[in-house]
Amino acid sequence: MTEQEIRAAFVNCTKGEAKRLSVPRDLADRPWDDLDYLGWRDPQAPDRAYLVTVLDGRPTALALRCPGPASWQARRSMCSMCLTAHTGGVSLMVAPKAGKARQRGDSVGAYICSDLACSLYVRGKKDAGAGSRPQESLTLEEKIERTVANVAAFLAKVTA
């Protein structure tokens, strides 16, 4: 995906906001074959994160808000997208809803890996520590499909 495609894909912020947000400069170096979605934290605004995926054949992007670290985040939590458990590595990410619901201030939240690296955790390319991934009888492909379905369900809630 190019920076222009990413900026045009946002569904829950204005075109001006999408134009001003920080897009990673290392897009060409990302492990695209291992990513079910592109996610990143804004280095200039630590309470902001972004998620871009291909849904129904076209890129769809969300702007997310995430609170700063708090003392309660030291406990073990599970990501609702990839089902990886982290100690302090899962954040409540809140997305303003799209359209008129956004104007009313409606939002949707989900607990997501703080580094937005769900795809890499599922594939075992990144490790969250001992006991972070539950023992399952699912194949890797089934785990990937579940993660993709969870991300799509979250996007559906934002755009509903």
Side-chain angles (χ1 to χ4, degrees):
M1 262 185 251
T2 66
E3 180 177 339
Q4 185 176 358
E5 289 173 320
I6 291 169
R7 291 187 189 283
F10 280 91
V11 296
N12 69 337
C13 65
T14 66
K15 287 182 182 181
E17 290 168 331
K19 184 178 179 182
R20 291 186 298 274
L21 61 84
S22 296
V23 174
R25 299 197 186 283
D26 65 344
L27 289 175
D29 299 330
R30 296 288 171 131
W32 291 103
D33 290 341
D34 292 325
L35 296 180
D36 305 311
Y37 68 86
L38 172 65
W40 73 97
R41 300 288 290 252
D42 189 329
Q44 288 137 3
D47 65 332
R48 293 180 191 207
Y50 307 99
L51 185 151
V52 185
T53 190
V54 176
L55 196 60
D56 296 328
R58 63 183 179 91
T60 304
L62 296 178
L64 305 164
R65 293 266 184 196
C66 36
S71 60
W72 65 268
Q73 287 180 314
R75 72 175 187 205
R76 196 162 188 78
S77 302
M78 184 176 280
C79 173
S80 61
M81 300 297 149
C82 67
L83 305 185
T84 300
H86 300 267
T87 300
V90 174
S91 298
L92 174 62
M93 305 236 179
V94 179
K97 289 191 86 171
K100 292 187 190 249
R102 179 181 185 269
Q103 295 169 351
R104 290 191 307 265
D106 294 351
S107 60
V108 177
Y111 288 95
I112 304 174
C113 293
S114 298
D115 59 4
L116 296 144
C118 296
S119 303
L120 302 179
Y121 290 118
V122 168
R123 288 167 174 79
K125 307 253 174 164
K126 195 165 185 180
D127 184 20
S132 62
R133 298 284 312 153
Q135 287 287 51
E136 299 181 285
S137 60
L138 297 177
T139 66
L140 175 59
E141 190 58 42
E142 290 169 327
K143 292 175 188 177
I144 292 168
E145 287 174 14
R146 178 181 58 205
T147 300
V148 169
N150 289 341
V151 170
F154 181 62
L155 281 161
K157 290 178 186 175
V158 173
T159 56

